Amino acid sequence: MTKRLTEVAKKAGVSEATVSRVLNGRDGVSEATRTAVLTALDVLGYERPTKLRGERARLVGLVLPELQNPIFPALAEVVTGTLAQRGYTPALCARTIGGVSEMDYVEMLLDHQVSGVIFAGGSYALADARHDHYRRLTDRGLPVVLVNAGVDELGFPRVSTDDAVAVEQAYGHLRSLGHERIGMVLGPEGHVPSRRKLDAMIRAAGWGEDDAECVQRSSFSMEGARVAATKLVERGVTGIICASDVLALGTIRAARRLGRSVPTDISVVGYDDSAFMTCTDPPLTTVRQPIETMGQAAVDLLVTQIEGAGVLQDELLFEPELVVRGSTAPAPGR
């Protein structure tokens, strides 16, 4: 019982005494705090006291493209914890290969009469993908927030990392190390955040048509990145900026298979600063997304809509941070 009180109190952001008062049905607790405690019970998998089981917590969907990339579980931890503190029960929906599609998840969430939905890394970020299911949410007037850049015409509030600043930081770091031949491994052609990163690189490096060979596209997988990065290394690139940490790890693998050393021959910069990037060989230099701040902001935006306080249509941009580790070094010959 003591362990349960401690865990629920931490998840709900209240004292153990407050949790005890809620579970025992005592007065002196606000409705918002009471709801947060009951939601924390649900999230942690504890049964509610019998007299409280008839009360159903409000549901909010969190739709993720996958859980293999550590950045998405990290975001899920922030969002679900913040939702619980605000009195909502998170419904985590993660897509898998051959599993439930994002469109199907939307239908399921609508069937469960959710109060709102937060999307991260979904079809909204792909310009050439189908967006019909998002319009269903708009037609229903359901509050929605997107994490990171999406196509403009959807009109949902967005919480994004500033891709331009991320590229400026990564490019400036490699240039300071003497790298002149710098390439990029990005997501698919229609991936909006990758488009933003490329636009920023064109501005920062002054790229023209002849520099197109310094850009390679990939699915967000290590194997896809390995194939893409191999072409860059064979073209004499010594510094590579990647659109995710997973792509960066695939790039390191490509360099090694070609007999090159990272960072002696090839410097690699990732993007996300997801879990365990300090434990890779070498530890990965990367641009950190402020996931905790962004996750909390996404929940704040959603709850503001749910409570009828209006919708902020502007995109909130959060500044990333370059984290220098062992995968970058002076250019060969410097």
Side-chain angles (χ1 to χ4, degrees), residues 132-151:
D132 297 351
H133 52 296
Y134 298 120
R135 295 187 179 92
R136 287 210 61 199
L137 298 174
T138 302
D139 293 342
R140 293 279 190 97
L142 197 70
V144 172
V145 173
L146 308 180
V147 178
N148 278 327
V151 295

Side-chain angles (χ1 to χ4, degrees), residues 148-284:
N148 278 327
V151 295
D152 291 330
E153 56 266 25
L154 293 177
F156 294 133
R158 288 169 289 174
V159 174
S160 305
T161 301
D162 194 324
D163 291 301
V165 172
V167 169
E168 289 166 5
Q169 292 177 348
Y171 177 74
H173 174 60
L174 291 176
R175 287 292 295 167
S176 72
L177 294 172
H179 293 275
E180 297 181 358
R181 185 75 165 160
I182 298 173
M184 303 186 82
V185 176
L186 300 174
E189 180 70 32
H191 184 243
V192 176
S194 291
R195 284 185 176 180
R196 290 185 172 188
K197 290 181 174 67
L198 178 56
D199 289 343
M201 187 66 169
I202 291 171
R203 292 193 299 270
W207 275 0
E209 293 182 4
D210 294 340
D211 297 298
E213 66 176 13
C214 292
V215 179
Q216 287 296 312
R217 302 283 182 174
S218 169
S219 61
F220 282 94
S221 67
M222 288 184 63
E223 185 56 28
R226 186 192 66 78
V227 174
T230 295
K231 297 177 182 178
L232 294 179
V233 174
E234 290 175 340
R235 291 170 184 167
V237 167
T238 64
I240 301 177
I241 299 171
C242 302
S244 77
D245 290 342
V246 172
L247 296 184
L249 296 180
T251 296
I252 292 173
R253 179 178 294 179
R256 287 176 172 165
R257 288 193 180 182
L258 291 172
R260 311 295 173 84
S261 172
V262 176
T264 304
D265 302 314
I266 307 291
S267 286
V268 179
V269 181
Y271 179 81
D272 283 337
D273 195 27
S274 47
F276 310 121
M277 293 304 106
T278 59
C279 305
T280 58
D281 181 24
L284 187 66

Side-chain angles (χ1 to χ4, degrees), residues 319-334:
E319 187 162 334
E321 176 188 0
L322 177 69
V323 182
V324 178
R325 298 193 182 104
S327 65
T328 51
R334 291 295 296 263

